[in-house]
């Protein structure tokens, strides 16, 4: 048989197809947030670099064998590949090289040190430094962030002073659990109900610097659930005991194959509480699964359920705070006020890769919350159900020969909020009976809708300089239906939609050298009023009320010195707010919203980390964060009172956090943390201030393994070591009624301990 030129070409084509299919194709991702990792070096057994991952983390390998995956900011990983097909590699972050890690807070994966805005990352190591019940200590280590805690279910978070004037809970700050919004259509956010043991990382964007998350005034808190690990099978159990009747159990199960993984986390937390009427009981269940279907498609599912019953001691007056801090507010103790709620969220995300330059990520999500809260003045029943969709197209291109990364997307969110109040007849029954439901007082149904359209791009002008431009468009609408109209209760039904708001962002980062980078940004943000703030005393909708809006101006630097042993980040910023929303009290625990003026938030944030000693047998690390807050009412007239020039209410003048971490090869580890919180104005008139206070916490532990199958971790912790008397939360501008003194203070816990054991069984 004669071989012609045509035969040769055919043979080459067949061989080409064979070797193409024989190639190993895969993707490299961050093990915690699933962000693709670009420019990962892949080495063979001769330490030759044979491949690199592209902008979407994708790579090709010529054959099976043993390879090492290396990327600054992540731990090296060796993998032995025994068959062809699609492969997913998960890399763990290297906490000593945090500036190099990939953050996904803007959906355009990039190294933290090249970010054009202030982004702080709380790693799983940071979470493990504290007790596993309260996340206050974790968040307060982030400069610019301040979380107050009245009890485990009574919290308030502010970022750069935004949210400090909210009386109860957190508002004007957006939060996401992976891709699922935790912020309601009313702009209110609750994150303290989630199990810390089910969270791997927080990424916090400070200021109105995130176009793609609705341009919230204060910023965005992005919670990353613990990812389900591939090729790992284990069960972790943890038991903790502590002061005030604390008991907590956690079960963490992970099952992973090459392309599919499943993780389930269950927790049960109980506490009698430090104060009267302070018992707490919470169960949580979290499921996270990943399915890498092929080279271009992956699916993930996230489910979280929280069942909570927590009694409420509420705030107390100054005399009680100083002389009897364990006491609950009298009326709350008499009514045995509590919160009984069930909350669930569900989300599914589809990731589709069009080609090496573009991909689309689409998430659908739903959530619900059912709550029953007996209070001294009434009983509140709530039922919320939400649906939404979030989709964005991500791309990487070149423009004038330079790399251009971009994202374009939209988010639609709609929730239905049904709530009503009933009489609380506890005073008509013998003492100790607690709350008794009486006649209905109100019955409302709200439909709350918003949508965001957003665009953001990072353009590498040079190898050292990145330009970021973003734009967000938001439209928010409320519709209120009064379902309890009587002669004494006029119809309060109405609807209102705020004009569309455009929020631009401009940012730039520049690497002066390998170890020093500068960043700056100018960004716009807004915060719409809640439905209750739009209601007038006669029940009508106030169409004159406007959203708060503001501009954030910032400049900062990220620096690594002494062979990256010392890392420093410093930011200077100004946040100028207009149409300030003020809660004006009209009765006992009744308020209306008014636009009362302007505030200016000038501040400095410092973060420092230093490795004193690092060796194979022992490490000693030090950290320090500091916030200097110069926040003022620039133009604030509330009724007959002019507070212009006064300090912003509810924000400390400064916050310092510093601590030392030790780790040894023998398994012994420990951490000690010191926190200073400066004086805080309690009233808009600045006539009353909360005292500055200092807290010291420590934790010691020992880790060991038994036959490489059982990993054991035992620990002991002591919070508020020097038994400081302090107020852990403040109710600003409180007023006393019927001759009672104002109730400003939530007493903080005295010295208290916890201890526990964690067992990890590897299959």
């Amino acid at each position: 048989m004669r071989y012609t030129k045509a035969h040769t070409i055919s043979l080459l084509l067949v061989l080409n197809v064979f070797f193409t299919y024989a190639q190993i194709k895969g993707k490299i991702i961050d093990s915690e947030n699933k962000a693709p990792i670009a420019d990962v070096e892949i080495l063979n057994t001769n330490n030759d670099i044979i491949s690199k991952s592209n902008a979407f983390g994708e790579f090709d390998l010529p054959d099976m064998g043993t390879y090492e995956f290396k990327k600054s900011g992540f731990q090296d990983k060796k993998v032995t590949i025994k068959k062809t097909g699609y492969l997913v590699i998960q890399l763990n972050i290297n906490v000593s090289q945090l500036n190099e890690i990939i953050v996904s807070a803007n959906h355009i994966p990039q190294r933290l040190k090249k970010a054009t805005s202030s982004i702080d990352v709380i790693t799983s190591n940071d979470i493990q430094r504290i007790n596993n019940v309260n996340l206050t200590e974790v968040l307060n280590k982030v400069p610019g962030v301040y979380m107050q805690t009245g009890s485990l279910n009574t919290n308030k978070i502010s970022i750069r002073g935004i949210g400090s004037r909210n009386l109860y809970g957190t508002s004007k700050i957006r939060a996401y659990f992976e891709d699922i919004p935790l912020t309601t259509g009313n702009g209110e956010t609750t994150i303290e109900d989630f199990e810390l043991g089910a969270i791997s990382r927080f990424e916090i964007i400070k200021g109105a610097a995130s176009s793609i998350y609705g341009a919230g005034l204060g910023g965005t808190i992005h919670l990353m659930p613990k990812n389900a690990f591939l090729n790992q099978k284990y069960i972790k159990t943890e038991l903790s005991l502590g002061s005030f009747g604390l008991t907590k159990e956690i079960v963490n199960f992970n099952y992973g194959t090459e392309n599919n993984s499943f993780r389930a986390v269950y927790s049960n937390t109980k506490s009698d509480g430090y104060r009267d009427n302070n018992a707490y009981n919470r169960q949580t269940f979290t499921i996270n699964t990943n399915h890498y279907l092929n080279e271009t498609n992956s699916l993930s599912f996230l489910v979280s359920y929280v069942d909570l019953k927590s009694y409420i001691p509420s705030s107390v007056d100054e005399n009680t705070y100083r002389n009897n801090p364990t006491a609950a507010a009298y009326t709350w103790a008499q009514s045995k006020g509590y919160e009984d709620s069930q909350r669930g969220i569900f989300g599914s995300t589809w990731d589709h890769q069009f080609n090496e330059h573009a991909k689309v990520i689409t998430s659908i999500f739903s959530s619900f919350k059912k709550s029953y809260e007996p209070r001294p003045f009434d009983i509140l029943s709530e039922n919320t159900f939400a649906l939404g969709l979030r989709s964005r197209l991500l791309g990487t291109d070149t423009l004038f020969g330079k790399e251009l990364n971009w994202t374009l997307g939209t988010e639609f969110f709609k929730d239905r909020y049904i709530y009503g109040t009933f009489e609380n007849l506890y005073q008509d029954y013998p003492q100790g009976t607690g709350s008794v439901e009486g006649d209905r007082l109100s019955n409302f149904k709200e439909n709350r809708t918003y949508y965001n359209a957003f665009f953001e791009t990072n353009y590498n002008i040079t190898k050292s300089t990145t330009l970021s431009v973003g734009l967000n468009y938001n439209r928010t609408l409320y519709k209120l239906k009064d379902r309890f109209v009587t002669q004494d209760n006029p119809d309060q039904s109405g609807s209102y939609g705020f004009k569309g708001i455009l929020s631009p962002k401009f940012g730039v980062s520049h690497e002066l050298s390998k170890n020093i980078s500068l960043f700056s940004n100018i960004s716009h943000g807004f915060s719409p009023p809640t439905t209750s703030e739009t209601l007038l005393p006669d029940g009508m909708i106030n169409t004159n009320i406007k959203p708060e809006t503001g501009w954030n101006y910032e400049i900062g630097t990220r620096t690594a010195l002494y062979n990256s042993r010392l890392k420093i980040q410093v930011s200077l910023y100004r946040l100028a707010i207009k149409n300030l929303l003020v809660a004006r009290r009209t009765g006992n625990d009744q308020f209306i919203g008014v636009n009362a003026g302007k505030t200016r938030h000038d501040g400095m944030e410092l973060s420092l980390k230093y490795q004193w000693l690092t060796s194979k047998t022992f490490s000693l690390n030090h950290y320090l964060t500091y916030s200097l807050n110069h926040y003022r009412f620039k133009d604030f007239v509330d009724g007959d009172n002019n507070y212009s020039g006064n300090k912003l209410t509810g924000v400390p003048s400064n916050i310092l956090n510093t601590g030392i971490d030790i780790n040894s090869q023998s398994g012994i580890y420990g951490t000690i943390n010191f926190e200073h919180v400066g004086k805080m104005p309690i009233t808009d008139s600045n006539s009353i201030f909360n005292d500055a206070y200092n807290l010291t916490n420590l934790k010691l532990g020992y880790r060991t393994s038994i036959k490489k199958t059982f990993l054991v971790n035992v620990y002991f912790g002591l919070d508020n070591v020097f038994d400081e008397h302090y107020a852990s939360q403040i109710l600003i501008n409180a007023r006393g009624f019927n001759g009672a003194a104002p109730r400003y203070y939530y007493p903080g816990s005295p010295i208290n301990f916890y201890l526990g054991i964690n067992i990890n069984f590897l299959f």
Side-chain angles (χ1 to χ4, degrees):
M1 180 178 178
R2 294 177 57 192
Y3 285 92
T4 64
K5 184 176 181 181
H7 287 109
T8 303
I9 293 175
S10 299
L11 179 61
L12 290 174
L13 288 173
V14 170
L15 291 173
N16 181 65
V17 170
F18 173 79
F19 284 113
T20 297
Y21 280 97
Q23 277 187 332
I24 309 297
K25 292 181 177 291
K27 177 186 289 187
I28 306 171
I29 61 174
D30 185 316
S31 65
E32 291 185 351
N33 65 4
K34 295 182 285 190
I37 308 175
D39 299 322
V40 177
E41 295 180 346
I42 305 174
L43 292 76
N44 61 17
T45 53
N46 295 324
N47 286 327
D48 299 322
I49 299 174
I50 60 169
S51 183
K52 273 191 178 184
S53 58
N54 65 15
F56 291 113
E58 298 172 319
F59 66 90
D60 292 321
L61 293 175
D63 203 353
M64 295 173 286
T66 299
Y67 299 94
E68 187 169 13
F69 296 80
K70 288 189 173 185
K71 169 71 175 180
S72 179
F74 295 84
Q75 298 176 17
D76 298 347
K77 185 171 186 176
K78 281 190 176 181
V79 177
T80 299
I81 302 171
K82 298 181 179 179
K83 63 180 181 179
T84 60
Y86 189 67
L87 186 68
V88 178
I89 303 295
Q90 295 174 314
L91 297 186
N92 298 324
I93 66 170
N94 185 339
V95 293
S96 66
Q97 297 177 325
L98 206 56
N99 278 346
E100 298 289 341
I101 72 165
I102 307 299
V103 291
S104 62
N106 285 339
H107 288 312
I108 305 176
Q110 64 179 155
R111 287 184 299 164
L112 179 59
K113 75 176 183 180
K114 296 197 72 172
T116 62
S117 55
S118 287
I119 301 176
D120 282 85
V121 177
I122 299 173
T123 67
S124 55
N125 280 5
D126 297 322
I127 296 172
Q128 291 168 10
R129 286 193 185 111
I130 65 162
N131 70 62
N132 60 3
V133 177
N134 195 332
L135 60 84
T136 305
E137 188 181 336
V138 167
L139 289 184
N140 284 349
K141 289 177 183 176
V142 177
V145 178
Y146 181 50
M147 182 173 184
Q148 301 182 56
T149 301
S151 60
L152 289 177
N153 69 317
T154 304
N155 298 272
K156 180 171 69 174
I157 303 171
S158 63
I159 300 180
R160 294 183 171 176
I162 302 299
S164 66
R165 293 187 52 78
N166 202 48
L167 297 175
Y168 307 104
T170 298
S171 70
K172 301 177 177 62
I173 294 168
R174 300 195 61 78
Y176 286 78
F177 193 53
E178 199 165 69
D179 231 19
I180 304 173
L182 300 178
T183 304
T184 68
N186 245 5
E188 298 168 342
T189 298
T190 304
I191 66 173
E192 56 268 18
D193 293 345
F194 289 96
E195 170 54 47
L196 268 175
I199 297 173
S200 65
R201 186 190 298 183
F202 293 82
E203 292 182 5
I204 301 175
I205 309 171
K206 294 178 290 189
S210 175
S211 311
I212 64 172
Y213 286 121
L217 266 179
T220 302
I221 301 176
H222 200 175
L223 285 71
M224 305 289 183
K226 281 192 173 177
N227 192 23
F229 293 142
L230 299 169
N231 299 309
Q232 293 187 33
K233 302 174 182 67
Y234 61 77
I235 295 178
K236 290 182 180 180
T237 61
E238 184 171 355
L239 172 65
S240 302
L241 304 172
S243 300
F244 317 124
L246 172 68
T247 62
K248 180 169 184 176
E249 305 95 31
I250 302 177
V251 178
N252 188 330
F253 172 76
N254 187 95
Y255 182 87
T257 61
E258 288 185 350
N259 294 311
N260 296 278
S261 57
F262 171 90
R263 181 191 289 269
V265 180
Y266 167 79
S267 73
N268 186 3
T269 306
K270 295 180 181 179
S271 173
D272 297 331
Y274 162 58
R275 301 173 60 196
D276 298 335
N277 202 58
N278 200 188
Y280 181 88
N281 189 342
R282 185 197 68 183
Q283 295 186 77
T284 73
F285 193 64
T286 307
I287 296 176
N288 192 1
T289 75
N290 298 309
H291 310 278
Y292 298 93
L293 307 179
N294 50 44
E295 297 176 21
T296 58
N297 294 283
S298 66
L299 285 174
S300 64
F301 297 91
L302 177 63
V303 179
S304 177
Y305 177 75
V306 178
D307 188 353
L308 168 70
K309 185 171 184 181
S310 180
Y311 285 82
I312 303 172
S314 194
S315 56
V316 295
D317 59 36
E318 183 175 7
N319 180 60
T320 306
Y321 162 65
R322 297 196 182 281
N323 299 304
N324 189 19
T326 61
Y330 177 77
T331 53
W332 285 86
Q334 291 292 102
S335 63
K336 296 185 178 179
Y338 64 86
E339 173 193 0
D340 188 359
S341 65
Q342 296 79 43
R343 176 183 185 182
I345 61 176
F346 169 81
S348 176
T349 299
W350 173 50
D351 188 323
H352 175 69
Q353 188 87 39
F354 291 112
N355 52 49
E356 62 180 4
H357 297 292
K359 67 187 295 186
V360 63
I361 303 175
T362 300
S363 301
I364 57 172
F365 47 82
S366 177
S367 64
F368 75 89
K369 183 175 182 181
K370 184 179 181 181
S371 178
Y372 187 79
E373 185 175 336
R375 309 176 293 189
F377 43 91
D378 64 18
I379 295 176
L380 174 66
S381 176
E382 300 175 290
N383 197 323
T384 305
F385 179 77
L387 285 170
L389 180 144
R390 183 175 177 85
S391 184
R392 63 264 186 210
L393 182 66
L394 293 92
T396 177
D397 292 294
T398 57
L399 181 64
F400 304 117
K402 305 297 183 181
E403 185 179 9
L404 175 72
N405 296 309
W406 52 269
T407 182
L408 172 69
T410 184
E411 177 184 324
F412 173 80
F413 179 92
K414 183 180 183 67
D415 68 356
R416 181 200 65 207
Y417 177 45
I418 297 174
Y419 64 99
T421 55
F422 302 85
E423 289 181 314
N424 194 336
L425 304 178
Y426 73 95
Q427 292 177 322
D428 299 336
Y429 286 78
Q431 186 172 344
T433 303
S435 295
V436 178
E437 185 179 305
D439 293 337
R440 179 178 286 277
L441 300 174
S442 65
N443 186 5
F444 292 97
K445 177 182 177 181
E446 293 180 23
N447 287 313
R448 309 177 297 199
T449 306
Y450 74 76
Y451 57 84
N452 294 314
F454 53 85
F455 171 77
E456 190 160 317
T457 182
N458 291 334
Y459 179 52
N460 294 329
I461 301 174
T462 68
K463 187 177 180 180
S464 302
T465 305
T466 300
L467 175 67
S468 178
V469 178
L471 185 67
N472 177 274
Y473 176 80
N474 175 273
R475 187 90 163 91
T476 300
L477 307 123
Y478 299 146
K479 185 176 181 180
L480 179 67
K481 175 64 176 176
D482 190 342
R483 308 196 300 180
F484 187 71
V485 179
T486 67
Q487 186 175 356
D488 298 326
N489 293 281
D491 190 354
Q492 300 185 44
S493 301
S495 59
Y496 187 59
F498 299 104
K499 294 181 180 180
I501 298 177
L502 277 172
S503 296
K505 168 202 168 180
F506 307 94
V508 63
S509 70
H510 177 70
E511 293 184 77
L512 294 176
S513 67
K514 180 181 178 181
N515 296 318
I516 301 175
S517 62
L518 303 175
F519 67 92
S520 180
N521 69 80
I522 301 173
S523 53
H524 180 270
F526 70 95
S527 178
T530 64
T531 310
S532 59
E533 288 173 325
T534 63
L535 291 176
L536 294 171
D538 59 4
M540 303 305 292
I541 297 289
N542 179 8
T543 57
N544 293 319
I545 199 167
K546 301 176 182 178
E548 290 183 350
T549 59
W551 284 91
N552 183 80
Y553 308 90
E554 181 175 8
I555 186 170
T557 180
R558 300 180 178 96
T559 303
L561 302 173
Y562 308 116
N563 293 323
S564 294
R565 291 173 59 193
L566 173 63
K567 298 181 179 65
I568 303 172
Q569 178 172 315
V570 181
S571 299
L572 300 172
Y573 63 88
R574 167 169 290 181
L575 185 55
I577 308 297
K578 68 177 183 178
N579 297 321
L580 176 70
L581 281 167
V582 174
R584 182 175 292 165
R585 187 183 292 268
T586 60
N588 188 11
D589 290 288
Q590 295 178 340
F591 308 87
I592 62 170
V594 294
N595 292 116
K598 303 176 181 178
T599 59
R600 189 165 71 190
H601 305 227
D602 294 334
M604 185 273 287
E605 296 165 357
L606 168 68
S607 177
L608 180 151
K609 296 181 179 180
Y610 185 66
Q611 298 175 352
W612 286 96
L613 179 63
T614 300
S615 69
K616 293 182 178 180
T617 58
F618 185 79
S619 67
L620 175 65
N621 299 296
H622 173 244
Y623 63 88
L624 180 148
T625 63
Y626 181 71
S627 306
L628 180 63
N629 307 321
H630 187 80
Y631 303 155
R632 296 291 186 271
F633 294 117
K634 186 178 179 183
D635 178 14
F636 182 17
V637 178
D638 186 12
D640 297 329
N641 300 308
N642 188 341
Y643 300 129
S644 302
N646 286 4
K647 295 180 178 180
L648 181 66
T649 324
V651 183
S653 56
N654 60 88
I655 302 174
L656 170 71
N657 254 288
T658 187
I660 292 176
D661 296 324
I662 59 171
N663 282 282
S664 68
Q665 190 180 41
S666 64
I668 297 174
Y669 66 92
T671 181
I672 184 167
N673 170 255
F674 172 82
E675 179 184 23
H676 167 80
V677 178
K679 294 177 64 177
M680 179 197 311
I682 296 178
T683 59
D684 292 338
S685 64
N686 287 183
S687 58
I688 303 176
F689 280 74
N690 184 36
D691 297 333
Y693 61 87
N694 303 311
L695 296 176
T696 303
N697 304 321
L698 64 84
K699 182 178 181 179
L700 298 172
Y702 175 71
R703 300 186 187 96
T704 188
S705 60
I706 303 174
K707 295 183 179 180
K708 297 183 180 181
T709 303
F710 284 95
L711 305 179
V712 180
N713 175 20
V714 293
Y715 54 85
F716 169 82
L718 203 59
D719 288 347
N720 195 2
V721 173
F722 299 106
D723 204 19
E724 179 95 348
H725 183 70
Y726 71 105
S728 56
Q729 185 168 329
I730 293 295
L731 178 61
I732 66 170
N733 296 318
R735 289 172 58 188
F737 291 89
N738 301 320
R743 297 189 288 111
Y744 295 117
Y745 304 95
Y746 290 85
S749 298
I751 183 172
N752 61 95
F753 77 93
Y754 60 93
L755 54 86
I757 182 169
N758 183 315
I759 298 175
N760 184 1
F761 176 67
L762 303 175
F763 292 98

